[in-house]
Amino acid sequence: MLKKYSTFIVLAILGWFFAVSLIVFSQESTTMDEQAHIPSAYTYVKYNDMRLNPEHPPLLKDLAGIPLLFLNVKFPTDDPAWMSGVNEQWNLGNKFIHQNNADAITFWSRVPILLVALLLGFFIFRWTKELAGTAAGLFALVLYAFDPNILGHNHYVTTDIGIAAFIFIAFYFFVKFVKNPNWKNTVLAGVFLALAELAKFSGVLLFPVFGIIAITYALAKKKPGFDQRSDSRFRWAKIWEYVGKYMLIIIICFAIIWIVYFYNTFNMPAEKVQDISKAVFSDSGMGIISKSIVIKMSAISFLKPLSEYFLGVFMVFVRVEGGNTYYFLGNVSNHASPAYFPVVFLIKETIPFLLLLLAAAGLAIFQTVKNIFSYPGNILAKIGGTIKFYLQTGVAYYTMLAFIALYVYLSITGNLNIGFRHLFPILPFAYVLVSKKVFDWIKSANSETTKKTFKIILAGLVIWIVLEPLIFFPSYLSYFNQLVGGPKNGYKYVTDSNADWGQDLKRLRNWVSDYNQSHPQDPISKIRIDYFGGSNPGYYFGNAFIPWHSGNNPEAGWYAISAGFLMENISKAKQPGEKSYEWLKSYSPYARAGDSIFIYYIPAK
């Protein structure tokens, strides 16, 4: 029955996913990172110039910029920040977005990103279906499409959902290549590896990961019975076959990277690449080497596109090394905490998915231990036999698990703690593995009664999963699970793109408008706003907006303060006399715009 109607069910789920996302992002203001990505998107496709935001590859911004070509917008190319500035993405982003129709620009640039998210949903269903059947494929798609965190970020003009999509799809085609290294699969693996590299520079992880997968699979590959070569000759032949074709995959990958960067840098002066490299890289250590490589490559016309590519790669290393300031569990720091991503995952993922993940992991460990002791011989032989079996028969699973383990390790030990969104690349793999294990568990039940019980439990969890985004609509970016009190309380634990990324400024405008209509005798004529995000309060509030930052002697009147600024200011150590929001502890918020902007009224003393 499911197989017969699976196409209709997939379309219905993805249709819901698209519709609810469209509604949500039409209500949201421009987020912090979009202020840099959106102007870059427009200038890439309009002017073939990547001087803005080179620390990210151009693919997703190219897609986001295409709809903007059909809008009546103007970009300040006569601004000194564009003509002679270095990486003035924030300054020019504010001008470009808010000197045009900000809502239209933000809305239309988000649509292509949402289409990429739909593509990811389709491939999650497709790969899970191939591995575990139609029911498991639909279940994996439900886990994805009804995850509030995905719904919260599946449309922003950033790299987060895009890199998750293209890494997952690159793995899909690379596993096909590993299983059958024919020329078709080789080319497809090269194409989608390139798309992953063009989505975000964390895609460089795939180069060593895919190389190790190819060699490991070649070593574990069984020799057919008719093959007369010795085991060692057979394995060496396979290793060279896979290494040779993997080299071809890399060549295809970089050829596509060159083509895309050539298009995006066609009108960009080489001097601009050099100016950026001189500005962002230090005069010591890796900074000197990075600067030298970029400058020398940019001076050669054929290599100029790749000089921009490597400029971005090196800028990411500088960014990661520098860290960021963030609020987490009552502390403010610019040094990463190993607890950050584990805690954020536990409080932002839905409880039913956490339960499923725990059950699937427990079952996998149990089955692995059971398989180990089913082999004859000593313990080392048992472990070796189990590993060899998995390498020969489960390339898709061990590659997913290996990537998850590597990515989690790098995230925990890295120096960037700015949001759960940075774990998005592992989520599609988790959906697939959980779905596979859950449905294998049901199929292996030794009685119809047990099988029926498992199905009832699973049905209950599915209902819970589907209800989460319905109950908490539209609080998706700021979603936290019930363990910490939901979206209204999440800001107490962690902020930035987990809770407050600037998404609620339009909701603040609407609140003020509604308040003024209901209080015509005493309207809000002025409001002090301390806003964290990519929108401009002056655009939405005009003369009513008073720029504000924390101060010790507040005047009477209305205040709107972003949760991120509030929590950071209250929690960080301060010097005597430093501006503070300590005085706000004496007041309760009058209201709240969305989940991230607190509204206060301070009466006259």
PDB file of all heavy atoms in Angstrom, residues 380-402:
ATOM      1  N   LEU A 380      40.121 -11.094  19.241  1.00  0.00           N
ATOM      2  CA  LEU A 380      40.633 -10.253  18.161  1.00  0.00           C
ATOM      3  C   LEU A 380      40.154 -10.750  16.802  1.00  0.00           C
ATOM      4  O   LEU A 380      39.815  -9.957  15.913  1.00  0.00           O
ATOM      5  CB  LEU A 380      42.165 -10.212  18.206  1.00  0.00           C
ATOM      6  CG  LEU A 380      42.789  -9.478  19.400  1.00  0.00           C
ATOM      7  CD1 LEU A 380      44.307  -9.570  19.347  1.00  0.00           C
ATOM      8  CD2 LEU A 380      42.348  -8.017  19.406  1.00  0.00           C
ATOM      9  N   ALA A 381      40.129 -12.069  16.635  1.00  0.00           N
ATOM     10  CA  ALA A 381      39.637 -12.638  15.382  1.00  0.00           C
ATOM     11  C   ALA A 381      38.153 -12.349  15.199  1.00  0.00           C
ATOM     12  O   ALA A 381      37.689 -12.065  14.092  1.00  0.00           O
ATOM     13  CB  ALA A 381      39.880 -14.144  15.365  1.00  0.00           C
ATOM     14  N   LYS A 382      37.407 -12.396  16.308  1.00  0.00           N
ATOM     15  CA  LYS A 382      35.970 -12.097  16.249  1.00  0.00           C
ATOM     16  C   LYS A 382      35.736 -10.646  15.814  1.00  0.00           C
ATOM     17  O   LYS A 382      34.898 -10.359  14.951  1.00  0.00           O
ATOM     18  CB  LYS A 382      35.330 -12.338  17.613  1.00  0.00           C
ATOM     19  CG  LYS A 382      35.303 -13.790  18.072  1.00  0.00           C
ATOM     20  CD  LYS A 382      34.798 -13.862  19.509  1.00  0.00           C
ATOM     21  CE  LYS A 382      34.860 -15.270  20.069  1.00  0.00           C
ATOM     22  NZ  LYS A 382      33.835 -16.135  19.495  1.00  0.00           N
ATOM     23  N   ILE A 383      36.491  -9.720  16.444  1.00  0.00           N
ATOM     24  CA  ILE A 383      36.348  -8.303  16.107  1.00  0.00           C
ATOM     25  C   ILE A 383      36.755  -8.060  14.657  1.00  0.00           C
ATOM     26  O   ILE A 383      36.075  -7.352  13.904  1.00  0.00           O
ATOM     27  CB  ILE A 383      37.186  -7.428  17.063  1.00  0.00           C
ATOM     28  CG1 ILE A 383      36.619  -7.515  18.489  1.00  0.00           C
ATOM     29  CG2 ILE A 383      37.216  -5.968  16.585  1.00  0.00           C
ATOM     30  CD1 ILE A 383      37.471  -6.826  19.532  1.00  0.00           C
ATOM     31  N   GLY A 384      37.882  -8.665  14.247  1.00  0.00           N
ATOM     32  CA  GLY A 384      38.348  -8.504  12.874  1.00  0.00           C
ATOM     33  C   GLY A 384      37.354  -9.047  11.866  1.00  0.00           C
ATOM     34  O   GLY A 384      37.107  -8.422  10.824  1.00  0.00           O
ATOM     35  N   GLY A 385      36.756 -10.181  12.179  1.00  0.00           N
ATOM     36  CA  GLY A 385      35.770 -10.764  11.276  1.00  0.00           C
ATOM     37  C   GLY A 385      34.535  -9.890  11.140  1.00  0.00           C
ATOM     38  O   GLY A 385      33.989  -9.719  10.042  1.00  0.00           O
ATOM     39  N   THR A 386      34.105  -9.318  12.269  1.00  0.00           N
ATOM     40  CA  THR A 386      32.933  -8.431  12.239  1.00  0.00           C
ATOM     41  C   THR A 386      33.215  -7.186  11.424  1.00  0.00           C
ATOM     42  O   THR A 386      32.385  -6.766  10.599  1.00  0.00           O
ATOM     43  CB  THR A 386      32.528  -8.035  13.671  1.00  0.00           C
ATOM     44  OG1 THR A 386      32.254  -9.219  14.425  1.00  0.00           O
ATOM     45  CG2 THR A 386      31.291  -7.146  13.672  1.00  0.00           C
ATOM     46  N   ILE A 387      34.391  -6.580  11.634  1.00  0.00           N
ATOM     47  CA  ILE A 387      34.754  -5.368  10.889  1.00  0.00           C
ATOM     48  C   ILE A 387      34.826  -5.667   9.394  1.00  0.00           C
ATOM     49  O   ILE A 387      34.309  -4.906   8.561  1.00  0.00           O
ATOM     50  CB  ILE A 387      36.096  -4.807  11.396  1.00  0.00           C
ATOM     51  CG1 ILE A 387      35.931  -4.268  12.821  1.00  0.00           C
ATOM     52  CG2 ILE A 387      36.605  -3.700  10.465  1.00  0.00           C
ATOM     53  CD1 ILE A 387      37.239  -3.825  13.465  1.00  0.00           C
ATOM     54  N   LYS A 388      35.463  -6.794   9.045  1.00  0.00           N
ATOM     55  CA  LYS A 388      35.587  -7.146   7.633  1.00  0.00           C
ATOM     56  C   LYS A 388      34.217  -7.358   6.998  1.00  0.00           C
ATOM     57  O   LYS A 388      33.961  -6.929   5.869  1.00  0.00           O
ATOM     58  CB  LYS A 388      36.438  -8.405   7.489  1.00  0.00           C
ATOM     59  CG  LYS A 388      36.758  -8.749   6.040  1.00  0.00           C
ATOM     60  CD  LYS A 388      37.727  -9.921   5.954  1.00  0.00           C
ATOM     61  CE  LYS A 388      38.080 -10.231   4.501  1.00  0.00           C
ATOM     62  NZ  LYS A 388      39.011 -11.369   4.390  1.00  0.00           N
ATOM     63  N   PHE A 389      33.305  -7.985   7.753  1.00  0.00           N
ATOM     64  CA  PHE A 389      31.949  -8.213   7.250  1.00  0.00           C
ATOM     65  C   PHE A 389      31.255  -6.887   6.964  1.00  0.00           C
ATOM     66  O   PHE A 389      30.639  -6.706   5.909  1.00  0.00           O
ATOM     67  CB  PHE A 389      31.157  -9.025   8.268  1.00  0.00           C
ATOM     68  CG  PHE A 389      29.691  -9.149   7.925  1.00  0.00           C
ATOM     69  CD1 PHE A 389      29.267 -10.044   6.963  1.00  0.00           C
ATOM     70  CD2 PHE A 389      28.752  -8.348   8.563  1.00  0.00           C
ATOM     71  CE1 PHE A 389      27.919 -10.149   6.634  1.00  0.00           C
ATOM     72  CE2 PHE A 389      27.408  -8.450   8.249  1.00  0.00           C
ATOM     73  CZ  PHE A 389      26.982  -9.358   7.277  1.00  0.00           C
ATOM     74  N   TYR A 390      31.351  -5.936   7.906  1.00  0.00           N
ATOM     75  CA  TYR A 390      30.707  -4.638   7.719  1.00  0.00           C
ATOM     76  C   TYR A 390      31.324  -3.870   6.540  1.00  0.00           C
ATOM     77  O   TYR A 390      30.616  -3.217   5.768  1.00  0.00           O
ATOM     78  CB  TYR A 390      30.801  -3.798   8.995  1.00  0.00           C
ATOM     79  CG  TYR A 390      29.795  -4.196  10.056  1.00  0.00           C
ATOM     80  CD1 TYR A 390      30.184  -4.382  11.370  1.00  0.00           C
ATOM     81  CD2 TYR A 390      28.462  -4.392   9.741  1.00  0.00           C
ATOM     82  CE1 TYR A 390      29.274  -4.753  12.350  1.00  0.00           C
ATOM     83  CE2 TYR A 390      27.538  -4.764  10.711  1.00  0.00           C
ATOM     84  CZ  TYR A 390      27.947  -4.939  12.014  1.00  0.00           C
ATOM     85  OH  TYR A 390      27.040  -5.304  12.964  1.00  0.00           O
ATOM     86  N   LEU A 391      32.649  -3.959   6.411  1.00  0.00           N
ATOM     87  CA  LEU A 391      33.300  -3.251   5.312  1.00  0.00           C
ATOM     88  C   LEU A 391      32.876  -3.810   3.952  1.00  0.00           C
ATOM     89  O   LEU A 391      32.773  -3.066   2.970  1.00  0.00           O
ATOM     90  CB  LEU A 391      34.824  -3.337   5.457  1.00  0.00           C
ATOM     91  CG  LEU A 391      35.439  -2.578   6.629  1.00  0.00           C
ATOM     92  CD1 LEU A 391      36.940  -2.806   6.681  1.00  0.00           C
ATOM     93  CD2 LEU A 391      35.137  -1.088   6.552  1.00  0.00           C
ATOM     94  N   GLN A 392      32.626  -5.102   3.898  1.00  0.00           N
ATOM     95  CA  GLN A 392      32.256  -5.736   2.642  1.00  0.00           C
ATOM     96  C   GLN A 392      30.787  -5.523   2.289  1.00  0.00           C
ATOM     97  O   GLN A 392      30.425  -5.440   1.119  1.00  0.00           O
ATOM     98  CB  GLN A 392      32.555  -7.238   2.708  1.00  0.00           C
ATOM     99  CG  GLN A 392      34.036  -7.580   2.726  1.00  0.00           C
ATOM    100  CD  GLN A 392      34.283  -9.060   2.943  1.00  0.00           C
ATOM    101  OE1 GLN A 392      33.391  -9.796   3.380  1.00  0.00           O
ATOM    102  NE2 GLN A 392      35.497  -9.513   2.651  1.00  0.00           N
ATOM    103  N   THR A 393      29.944  -5.457   3.305  1.00  0.00           N
ATOM    104  CA  THR A 393      28.489  -5.456   3.046  1.00  0.00           C
ATOM    105  C   THR A 393      27.782  -4.156   3.426  1.00  0.00           C
ATOM    106  O   THR A 393      26.632  -3.962   3.020  1.00  0.00           O
ATOM    107  CB  THR A 393      27.819  -6.603   3.823  1.00  0.00           C
ATOM    108  OG1 THR A 393      28.021  -6.388   5.246  1.00  0.00           O
ATOM    109  CG2 THR A 393      28.415  -7.945   3.425  1.00  0.00           C
ATOM    110  N   GLY A 394      28.430  -3.293   4.179  1.00  0.00           N
ATOM    111  CA  GLY A 394      27.718  -2.122   4.685  1.00  0.00           C
ATOM    112  C   GLY A 394      28.427  -0.814   4.422  1.00  0.00           C
ATOM    113  O   GLY A 394      28.527   0.037   5.316  1.00  0.00           O
ATOM    114  N   VAL A 395      28.923  -0.620   3.195  1.00  0.00           N
ATOM    115  CA  VAL A 395      29.695   0.585   2.897  1.00  0.00           C
ATOM    116  C   VAL A 395      28.890   1.853   3.166  1.00  0.00           C
ATOM    117  O   VAL A 395      29.420   2.847   3.672  1.00  0.00           O
ATOM    118  CB  VAL A 395      30.229   0.560   1.449  1.00  0.00           C
ATOM    119  CG1 VAL A 395      29.097   0.487   0.434  1.00  0.00           C
ATOM    120  CG2 VAL A 395      31.098   1.767   1.173  1.00  0.00           C
ATOM    121  N   ALA A 396      27.606   1.843   2.855  1.00  0.00           N
ATOM    122  CA  ALA A 396      26.788   3.042   3.083  1.00  0.00           C
ATOM    123  C   ALA A 396      26.721   3.378   4.558  1.00  0.00           C
ATOM    124  O   ALA A 396      26.825   4.546   4.954  1.00  0.00           O
ATOM    125  CB  ALA A 396      25.375   2.823   2.529  1.00  0.00           C
ATOM    126  N   TYR A 397      26.568   2.356   5.408  1.00  0.00           N
ATOM    127  CA  TYR A 397      26.382   2.599   6.837  1.00  0.00           C
ATOM    128  C   TYR A 397      27.678   3.031   7.514  1.00  0.00           C
ATOM    129  O   TYR A 397      27.697   3.971   8.307  1.00  0.00           O
ATOM    130  CB  TYR A 397      25.822   1.339   7.511  1.00  0.00           C
ATOM    131  CG  TYR A 397      24.674   0.734   6.754  1.00  0.00           C
ATOM    132  CD1 TYR A 397      24.730  -0.579   6.300  1.00  0.00           C
ATOM    133  CD2 TYR A 397      23.546   1.490   6.453  1.00  0.00           C
ATOM    134  CE1 TYR A 397      23.689  -1.129   5.567  1.00  0.00           C
ATOM    135  CE2 TYR A 397      22.497   0.951   5.723  1.00  0.00           C
ATOM    136  CZ  TYR A 397      22.579  -0.355   5.283  1.00  0.00           C
ATOM    137  OH  TYR A 397      21.548  -0.890   4.561  1.00  0.00           O
ATOM    138  N   TYR A 398      28.779   2.311   7.206  1.00  0.00           N
ATOM    139  CA  TYR A 398      30.010   2.690   7.903  1.00  0.00           C
ATOM    140  C   TYR A 398      30.549   4.038   7.416  1.00  0.00           C
ATOM    141  O   TYR A 398      31.206   4.765   8.166  1.00  0.00           O
ATOM    142  CB  TYR A 398      31.068   1.587   7.858  1.00  0.00           C
ATOM    143  CG  TYR A 398      31.859   1.403   6.587  1.00  0.00           C
ATOM    144  CD1 TYR A 398      32.829   2.332   6.189  1.00  0.00           C
ATOM    145  CD2 TYR A 398      31.696   0.262   5.804  1.00  0.00           C
ATOM    146  CE1 TYR A 398      33.571   2.153   5.038  1.00  0.00           C
ATOM    147  CE2 TYR A 398      32.445   0.068   4.648  1.00  0.00           C
ATOM    148  CZ  TYR A 398      33.378   1.014   4.276  1.00  0.00           C
ATOM    149  OH  TYR A 398      34.128   0.827   3.131  1.00  0.00           O
ATOM    150  N   THR A 399      30.263   4.399   6.160  1.00  0.00           N
ATOM    151  CA  THR A 399      30.690   5.727   5.712  1.00  0.00           C
ATOM    152  C   THR A 399      29.883   6.820   6.414  1.00  0.00           C
ATOM    153  O   THR A 399      30.432   7.851   6.791  1.00  0.00           O
ATOM    154  CB  THR A 399      30.539   5.876   4.192  1.00  0.00           C
ATOM    155  OG1 THR A 399      29.200   5.552   3.807  1.00  0.00           O
ATOM    156  CG2 THR A 399      31.485   4.978   3.441  1.00  0.00           C
ATOM    157  N   MET A 400      28.576   6.599   6.578  1.00  0.00           N
ATOM    158  CA  MET A 400      27.756   7.574   7.305  1.00  0.00           C
ATOM    159  C   MET A 400      28.223   7.710   8.746  1.00  0.00           C
ATOM    160  O   MET A 400      28.391   8.818   9.268  1.00  0.00           O
ATOM    161  CB  MET A 400      26.280   7.154   7.286  1.00  0.00           C
ATOM    162  CG  MET A 400      25.615   7.225   5.924  1.00  0.00           C
ATOM    163  SD  MET A 400      23.844   6.854   6.070  1.00  0.00           S
ATOM    164  CE  MET A 400      23.432   6.516   4.359  1.00  0.00           C
ATOM    165  N   LEU A 401      28.421   6.568   9.400  1.00  0.00           N
ATOM    166  CA  LEU A 401      28.854   6.603  10.809  1.00  0.00           C
ATOM    167  C   LEU A 401      30.226   7.257  10.949  1.00  0.00           C
ATOM    168  O   LEU A 401      30.458   8.039  11.877  1.00  0.00           O
ATOM    169  CB  LEU A 401      28.890   5.184  11.372  1.00  0.00           C
ATOM    170  CG  LEU A 401      27.538   4.560  11.711  1.00  0.00           C
ATOM    171  CD1 LEU A 401      27.696   3.079  12.011  1.00  0.00           C
ATOM    172  CD2 LEU A 401      26.913   5.283  12.906  1.00  0.00           C
ATOM    173  N   ALA A 402      31.126   6.940  10.026  1.00  0.00           N
ATOM    174  CA  ALA A 402      32.469   7.518  10.091  1.00  0.00           C
ATOM    175  C   ALA A 402      32.413   9.039   9.913  1.00  0.00           C
ATOM    176  O   ALA A 402      33.105   9.785  10.627  1.00  0.00           O
ATOM    177  CB  ALA A 402      33.363   6.889   9.027  1.00  0.00           C
TER     178      ALA A 402
END
